[in-house]
Amino acid sequence: MTPTIRMAADPAGAAAAAAKAVLDVVRAAIAEHGSATVALAGGGTPALLYRNLAMRGGGGARWDRVEFFFGDERCVPPRSPDSNFLLAKEALFTPLGIEPARVHRIEGEVEPPAEAAERYAGTLRRHFGVEVPRLDLVLLGMGVDGHTASLFPGSAALLEKSRWVVAVQAPSGIRPVDRVTLTLPLLNRANTVLFLVSGEAKQPAVAAVLGDGRADTQLPAARVSPQGRLLWFLDRAAAGRLCP
Ligand code: 6PG
């Protein structure tokens, strides 16, 4: 899948452009089949995107027709500052008045993490049935090592062909260690995958994934190649030499 790459001067510009794309995808999905399914990204970068969406009052989209899922979650309670759910709740769900029944979080607090993963697979099965879920939109970030969701370089989870959700451990130096993540079969089934990446520290990984040579598939982000559209939103610092 050839990615569509959009660059902006700074993180706020990249987030604003990504927010517009999110609105377009959500509106189109609702127009096409009456609802939209969106898997949210974790980490810190998406906060600007979520706040931009909320600031626009949701941009006139029918958010009451959107079901929210998560690409990954840290194995922490939902009130932990490390929780991807908490970030989305504070920056997006609460400001937009999203009903809790339409937010399907990964229960990171459930022990052991494998049980949390199994429960989330059950949540997905209940919503999508037994076929591999085709999400309308998957939002992703990328770490400086090229990880995405909680798929880390060298992880056995990258080879997963059947399970939709697995428990993993982050490599040393990345905390929280225990996580639950969607797998590539599910991410790559999405109608649209949107990466939002900013900051100079990400430049080498961006170049390795999107540079003019062959993508370095050692990097998990390079293995995200959806059946639908692949969009990358970058600020100038992360884009580096990709910038015209
Ligand atoms: C997570 C994310 C992870 C994140 C990258 C980038 O749970 O940490 O899913 O893949 O997108 O680590 O994180 P930042 O946006 O904070 O740089």
Side-chain angles (χ1 to χ4, degrees), residues 15-168:
K20 187 182 175 317
V22 169
L23 285 169
D24 292 345
V25 171
V26 164
R27 285 196 190 102
I30 292 169
E32 188 183 328
H33 45 79
S35 63
T37 52
V38 178
L40 297 178
T45 303
L48 275 176
L49 165 57
Y50 301 156
R51 292 198 176 96
N52 190 291
L53 285 170
M55 188 176 64
R56 295 160 170 235
R62 288 293 308 273
W63 293 101
D64 60 328
R65 302 286 185 86
V66 180
E67 299 286 337
F68 291 94
F69 299 86
F70 287 82
D72 73 324
E73 185 56 276
R74 292 82 176 275
C75 292
V76 296
R79 290 184 184 75
S80 161
D82 284 324
S83 165
N84 289 335
F85 162 76
L86 184 64
L87 167 72
K89 178 172 181 278
E90 291 178 343
L92 186 65
F93 301 149
T94 301
L96 284 183
I98 304 293
E99 280 171 37
R102 285 204 312 290
V103 175
H104 310 283
R105 72 179 183 90
I106 299 171
E107 296 169 284
E109 69 279 16
V110 165
E111 287 289 346
E115 170 64 19
E118 193 42 52
R119 285 194 192 189
Y120 203 57
T123 297
L124 294 170
R125 274 195 297 274
R126 278 191 299 282
H127 192 85
F128 293 96
V130 293
E131 289 299 309
V132 181
R134 187 190 293 279
L135 287 149
D136 292 304
L137 175 61
V138 172
L139 298 179
L140 292 173
M142 184 178 68
V144 295
D145 61 353
H147 81 257
T148 191
S150 283
L151 296 170
F152 293 94
S155 167
L158 290 167
L159 306 175
E160 182 59 48
K161 294 279 182 279
S162 52
R163 287 179 296 168
W164 303 346
V165 193
V166 293
V168 298

Side-chain angles (χ1 to χ4, degrees), residues 3-7 45 140-147 195-217 219-222 231-243:
T4 300
I5 303 171
R6 293 273 183 276
M7 296 176 218
T45 303
L140 292 173
M142 184 178 68
V144 295
D145 61 353
H147 81 257
F195 278 92
L196 175 62
V197 180
S198 59
E200 191 167 2
K202 306 284 177 80
Q203 200 182 109
V206 167
V209 174
L210 298 175
D212 39 16
R214 278 172 60 80
D216 176 357
T217 51
L219 273 59
L231 311 174
W232 280 75
F233 287 84
L234 304 167
D235 70 344
R236 189 187 307 279
R241 285 184 296 107
L242 288 180
C243 252

